[in-house]
Every structure is written in structure tokens, then in C-alpha cells.
Amino acid sequence: MSAPEVELSGVRRSFGATQALRGVSLAVRRGEVYGLVGPDGAGKTTAIRMLAGLLRPDEGHARVLGEDPSHPSSPVREQLGLVPQRNSLYGDLSVDENLRFFARLFGLSRADFATRRERLLSITRLERFTERRADALSGGMYKKLALACALLHRPRVLLLDEPTNGVDPVSRRELWELLYGLVHEGMTLVVSTPYMDEAARCHRVGLLYAGEVIAEGAPRELARAHGVAPGNFEAVFLELIRGRAA
Ligand SMILES: Nc1ncnc2c1ncn2[C@@H]1O[C@H](COP(=O)(O)OP(=O)(O)OP(=O)(O)O)[C@@H](O)[C@H]1O
């Protein structure tokens, strides 16, 4: 079996007295959609930020394509895309200006940018809105633009922190279709979400609760193991949490 592309191993991280991650381990293979599923405050953003190299663990380690993503000169940074939870774009800049800004940041050549721009505007269906300011976009369109900006440099691993938060159901479905398209092209995805129904859209999920992975597996298998209908992760979660409280 191939080596994991994304890995957390025994990761602990505290902020003052708050233990955000309490010994989290996970491994994601090429072409997988791995869901970090859990309620607000479970530690999802902390885990994503660690994989993006923006935070270091107190204990344990994070690896992406076998490298430490927090290392300033790590080549893996070029292979990583991040869609943060909010405010990742310049609200006063238009769709086109945001794309251009991030293309410069990633060092894309003029010709490469032209190709990427066309492709990304097409898959996100933002072609008709290139002049619109990011702040004036709907929630779903804003997330699609954030995704387009994160994809400019053709990352191999994409990290998405609650990409469908505040997005209407139709745009949510569209975003997921877009994500599957990327996976089809060989990308590896780690997606955090507080929406239990979205767990079923992932190949594998880690259920995160109070800084710990309390269950992990393929959605259907987890549902079967807990005797609930496929996709009913709320029931799986409640049973697991009840089990811990008992
Ligand atoms: N920079 C920080 N300073 C202090 N506490 C923090 C910091 N970052 C996270 N925390 C705390 O760590 C815990 C986990 O937060 P985290 O943001 O990772 O959770 P989450 O699952 O992403 O939830 P949310 O969806 O609400 O962001 C929370 O109790 C949070 O308040």
C-alpha cells in the first residue's frame, strides 16, 4: 500500500488551559476525501492549520507528502492548497483581481495564469462575475472563489476548513461536485465540516470530539456498526458521546 499523503501522528496542541487536540492520529492516502467531522470547538480548524503548516504541535507530528509542512523551506508548501474557514479573500478586490493577486503570490507566469484563470472560472462558473467585488458575492460564490484561488498553483493536497459553512443547499451540492472532480484528477482532500450529513460524502471520516478522534472509518461502515441508517451521523455521534459519558 502507498505511503499516506497526509498524516497526523499523536498530535497534541493546547492554547493556554484549552486542550484543542489531545493525541490525534490520522492518515490519508492519495485520491481520498477524508472528512474531519465534529461540532464547533472539536478541534477541526486546529488540525487543518497544523496540516497547512501554520501551527506546530506541542507533541507528535504533522506530515504532508512525507515532509513537515511547518518547515519554512519545505518544498511541500508548493503542493498544498488551503481554503480557510473565512475572510481568505480581499473583499474590496473583484473576482478577477483576487485571482490575479493570488497568482502573483504563487509565482505563476502570465501564460500559466491565463490558462488557470480560464479553467478555474469555468469549473466554478464564475465567468460572468469577474468584475464583482468579493464582498458582494453570495456565500456560495465566495467559497468557490476561495477554492479557485487555492487551486491556482495546482496543489496535490487540498485542505478545506468548513467549505460549505453558510452556503445554501444547492451551492453546497455544486461545491461537492467540484470537489469530486478534483479528486477524480488525483487530488487528495481533507475537509472539515460540522454538518453530519456531509460525512456521508467523504470516503472516510474521523469523528472529532473535544480534541479526540472518537471513531474513524468509511461512512457506511460506521453507520452499520452503530445500527443506524447510512448517512445518519448524528445518531452515530450521539451514541458515541453517550457511551463516553456513561
Ligand atoms: N488561537 C487560539 N487561542 C485560544 N484558544 C483557541 C485558539 N484556537 C483554538 N482555540 C480553542 O481550541 C478549541 C478547538 O478550536 P478549533 O477552532 O480547532 O475547533 P473547531 O472544531 O474548528 O470549531 P469551530 O468550527 O468553532 O472553529 C476551542 O476550544 C477553541 O476555543
Side-chain angles (χ1 to χ4, degrees):
M1 207 182 256
S2 60
E5 296 219 331
V6 175
E7 212 180 349
L8 290 179
S9 178
V11 166
R12 293 180 174 274
R13 172 73 201 217
S14 295
F15 299 98
T18 306
Q19 289 183 295
L21 295 178
R22 301 190 294 162
V24 168
S25 297
L26 55 89
V28 185
R29 297 191 185 277
R30 181 171 174 83
E32 249 192 326
V33 181
Y34 187 95
L36 270 174
V37 183
D40 288 348
K44 304 181 298 294
T45 298
T46 306
I48 294 274
R49 293 186 69 202
M50 210 154 264
L51 290 170
L54 301 171
L55 267 182
R56 282 175 200 262
D58 295 331
E59 266 179 53
H61 66 251
R63 293 281 180 272
V64 175
L65 303 172
E67 306 260 351
D68 174 359
S70 72
H71 198 279
S73 59
S74 173
V76 82
R77 289 177 162 227
E78 287 166 25
Q79 310 266 16
L80 257 177
L82 170 66
V83 181
Q85 200 175 125
R86 56 179 85 90
N87 303 332
S88 58
L89 303 171
Y90 286 91
D92 285 340
L93 298 187
S94 68
V95 167
D96 230 351
E97 288 166 339
N98 267 289
L99 283 169
R100 206 173 295 276
F101 174 83
F102 284 99
R104 266 195 217 127
L105 214 61
F106 293 130
L108 262 65
S109 71
R110 204 179 270 245
D112 199 14
F113 173 60
T115 315
R116 291 303 282 160
R117 175 185 175 278
E118 194 176 330
R119 161 109 175 106
L120 293 168
L121 286 173
S122 157
I123 65 168
T124 53
R125 296 210 240 134
L126 286 170
E127 300 108 320
R128 288 191 295 117
F129 305 97
T130 51
E131 299 306 315
R132 192 173 289 186
R133 280 175 48 240
D135 269 354
L137 295 172
S138 68
M141 282 158 71
Y142 187 99
K143 294 281 190 180
K144 282 183 193 164
L145 178 58
L147 177 63
C149 289
L151 292 173
L152 276 164
H153 62 304
R154 298 182 176 83
R156 180 158 151 188
V157 172
L158 186 63
L159 309 171
L160 303 109
D161 194 5
E162 302 193 14
T164 62
N165 205 349
V167 172
D168 70 70
V170 174
S171 303
R172 253 168 94 177
R173 207 177 49 227
E174 277 181 16
L175 256 163
W176 272 101
E177 277 165 15
L178 239 165
L179 297 182
Y180 288 136
L182 300 173
V183 170
H184 195 68
E185 291 170 14
M187 207 177 276
T188 304
L189 263 59
V190 179
V191 187
S192 84
T193 177
Y195 300 125
M196 299 295 154
D197 58 311
E198 285 196 336
R201 294 184 181 274
C202 303
H203 296 141
R204 264 187 327 127
V205 291
L207 301 187
L208 201 58
Y209 182 72
E212 285 182 79
V213 176
I214 57 174
E216 192 187 49
R220 277 187 167 275
E221 282 164 24
L222 277 178
R224 196 178 310 128
H226 290 269
V228 301
N232 189 357
F233 273 87
E234 223 153 280
V236 175
F237 233 107
L238 288 174
E239 195 187 306
L240 283 163
I241 294 166
R242 220 175 281 136
R244 292 167 77 82

